[in-house]
Amino acid sequence: MVNFVGGRAQAEYMARVSDLPQGRCLVVAVDVGKHSAMGLIADHCGQIIGAPIDFELTLPGAGVLELAIRSAVDDRDAASVRVGIEAAGHYHRALAATLRERGLDVVELNPYQVKLARGQMGQARIKTDLRDCMAMAELLVRGQGWPLRAEETAMAEQRAWVAHRRRKLQAIKALGAQIHALADTAFPGLTGCFTSGLESPTLRMLLATMPDPARVAELDVPALVRHAAAHGRRMLRPKAAQVIAAARDAMCVPEAPRAIAARLLVSERAQYETLLEDLAIADHELAALLPCTPAGVLLSVPGIGPVTASYYGAALGDPHRFKNADAAWRYAGLAPTSYESAGRRGPARISKIGSVELRQAAIALGAGVAQHHADFTAYKQRLREAGKRPMVAAIATAHRVHRLAFALMRSQQPYDTERWNAAVSAGQERSRPATTTHRAAHTT
């Protein structure tokens, strides 16, 4: 049993330093920026050792920090050194990996926890690199921080492709909103004819080849169908009639801004198509990598495809770095919070203190399985019938799916419907620990 509020990671660190003099236990707080960083060395008494270290995010810069650490170690005859780096998108990863390769104990610190620690020091509204380092030092002294994930090549590649796909998807959404705005100016009403929006290749073709309602209004249905066929798209006659009707009813802005919008649509649509091609390449690479990673086994679960499995696997990393599924759930920031004072309780909410990527991936995983797996569909429906709000039901379902997915990744046993149903009937998924539920259902 872990008797530390910070869980196993804190317990393991405290076990190493509890019998050591506080002055010989050093912590190194690092606040990372885009091109440079600041480091601060302190001991477990809270005493700062030396001046803050400003260094560049380069190999020589990492050497400057390492030299300062070695100097402090010699000065204090230190028996323990832990480096904590605030997670900052991708900027901190190279430095963290470099310091770990040089033999240092490196952990990641959640930015939200750093903010809270700064507030506890009475400096919530005073944010500087130095103040952040001081707050991080306080967290490190308490034993906070997540060990860096040690990933195999396939898992590292998976994480890189997931990050790339996420960026492309964000760019597609931003460009799509811009295209919709231009389309409303050049051809009002056209996008309303396609319920799938820019996901429709026919709509994108019309925006690029004929974003002029006056021209479309002059056509009859066969002519518009032939125009679509000439550009590689099959348009049904009812859809062609709908587009022509929209063109004849369109209330357009003056010619000058409409013409500019029509010109811009051509180039923007070309960029949009390029982004879609990049997204397809990312999907192909993820599908090829998935069987080489622990998340490959998730494809055996109804409702989980290569993309959702890859997102979940990349965010979770090596499942063995967590004690159990509940520890991973807390890491995602989906564990419930509570507020109670003088016998009064506030509403329960998720903490949102953790990995945003894992939080989003777990919810997406739950949504997919709930649509294709009868047991999870019924579970979510029971929650809704019990009066749970949609988001509450979605998160509860995601939690249940997460427990199953985590157990599959730990055991690497494919999902078996009959054994899962038997486990559910026996109540094992509620009474057994999360990491053994599905494994127990799959052992003979």
Side-chain angles (χ1 to χ4, degrees):
M1 178 179 179
V2 176
N3 295 319
F4 287 83
V5 295
R8 186 175 65 173
Q10 183 186 27
E12 291 175 350
Y13 177 67
M14 288 305 180
R16 296 205 319 258
V17 302
S18 58
D19 296 330
L20 299 175
Q22 290 185 330
R24 294 182 60 198
C25 298
L26 306 185
V27 295
V28 184
V30 182
D31 185 47
V32 176
K34 188 173 183 179
H35 302 294
S36 61
M38 173 181 285
L40 184 72
I41 305 174
D43 61 22
H44 271 220
C45 297
Q47 182 179 1
I48 297 175
I49 303 172
I53 307 110
D54 292 306
F55 61 96
E56 298 297 317
L57 288 180
T58 60
L59 284 175
V64 171
L65 177 64
E66 185 182 12
L67 182 62
I69 294 173
R70 303 301 180 195
S71 177
V73 169
D74 293 340
D75 181 62
R76 290 296 186 92
D77 189 24
S80 172
V81 181
R82 168 163 281 198
V83 180
I85 303 180
E86 183 180 11
H90 60 277
Y91 297 116
H92 70 290
R93 292 178 184 169
L95 176 63
T98 299
L99 295 178
R100 183 178 61 184
E101 290 171 358
R102 296 181 180 183
L104 292 168
D105 176 21
V106 184
V107 296
E108 290 182 358
L109 293 169
N110 185 280
Y112 187 76
Q113 289 179 311
V114 175
K115 179 181 178 180
L116 291 179
R118 199 173 67 245
Q120 293 169 359
M121 299 168 62
Q123 300 168 349
R125 296 179 179 271
I126 306 174
K127 177 172 171 54
T128 64
D129 292 344
L130 179 58
R131 301 297 181 185
D132 279 347
C133 283
M134 293 171 65
M136 282 187 274
E138 284 288 323
L139 292 173
L140 291 169
V141 168
R142 300 176 200 167
Q144 298 296 307
W146 285 92
L148 294 180
R149 59 176 68 185
E151 294 178 339
E152 299 177 356
T153 301
M155 295 174 64
E157 291 179 6
Q158 181 186 60
R159 187 175 182 181
W161 276 108
V162 164
H164 175 74
R165 188 184 190 279
R166 187 178 290 112
R167 289 190 295 269
K168 292 299 179 181
L169 194 58
Q170 291 173 347
I172 287 173
K173 290 180 179 179
L175 185 58
Q178 185 172 343
I179 291 175
H180 272 286
L182 290 171
D184 290 341
T185 301
F187 194 152
L190 177 60
T191 58
C193 297
F194 298 85
T195 56
S196 59
L198 291 177
E199 293 183 9
S200 168
T202 303
L203 172 59
R204 301 200 301 272
M205 178 274 297
L206 289 174
L207 291 174
T209 62
M210 197 175 290
D212 184 354
R215 288 179 57 196
V216 174
E218 295 175 351
L219 301 177
D220 57 16
V221 169
L224 184 55
V225 170
R226 288 194 299 271
H227 174 84
H231 291 85
R233 298 299 170 201
R234 178 172 177 265
M235 179 182 284
L236 299 179
R237 294 176 67 87
K239 179 60 65 176
Q242 184 182 4
V243 170
I244 293 172
R248 292 171 179 171
D249 294 339
M251 183 170 57
C252 300
V253 298
E255 177 63 23
R258 193 208 62 76
I260 293 174
R263 286 179 54 194
L264 293 175
L265 273 174
V266 176
S267 60
E268 298 290 68
R269 181 261 188 181
Q271 295 181 42
Y272 193 86
E273 295 291 346
T274 300
L275 288 173
L276 291 179
E277 293 173 1
D278 292 341
L279 198 67
I281 292 173
D283 290 347
H284 174 77
E285 294 291 340
L286 287 172
L289 278 170
L290 189 58
C292 304
T293 69
V297 70
L298 298 183
L299 291 180
S300 60
V301 181
I304 299 182
V307 173
T308 51
S310 298
Y311 271 56
Y312 180 82
L316 184 69
D318 182 3
H320 294 282
R321 70 191 181 113
F322 298 101
K323 180 183 179 182
N324 52 34
D326 289 337
W329 190 250
R330 289 192 297 272
Y331 176 73
L334 285 164
T337 61
S338 62
Y339 178 85
E340 183 174 350
S341 178
R344 292 178 298 178
R345 292 185 179 181
R349 297 183 175 89
I350 60 173
S351 67
K352 294 187 180 180
I353 303 175
S355 169
V356 177
E357 291 81 7
L358 183 55
R359 184 158 64 245
Q360 294 174 342
I363 293 175
L365 205 69
V369 174
Q371 290 180 353
H372 297 86
H373 192 298
D375 180 53
F376 288 91
T377 302
Y379 176 77
K380 188 174 183 179
Q381 183 61 32
R382 289 197 300 270
L383 293 174
R384 294 290 292 121
E385 291 174 352
K388 301 297 183 182
R389 290 175 296 182
M391 183 52 68
V392 173
I395 292 176
T397 305
H399 186 200
R400 195 164 183 254
V401 175
H402 158 75
R403 293 173 62 200
L404 170 61
F406 186 88
L408 289 175
M409 288 180 63
R410 284 279 286 260
S411 67
Q412 286 299 293
Q413 296 182 18
Y415 172 79
D416 186 288
T417 303
E418 292 183 2
R419 292 182 179 179
W420 170 257
N421 291 337
V424 172
S425 299
Q428 292 179 4
E429 90 285 10
R430 293 186 296 273
S431 61
R432 291 181 181 266
T435 55
T436 59
T437 299
H438 192 268
R439 189 180 308 169
H442 279 63
T443 55
T444 58

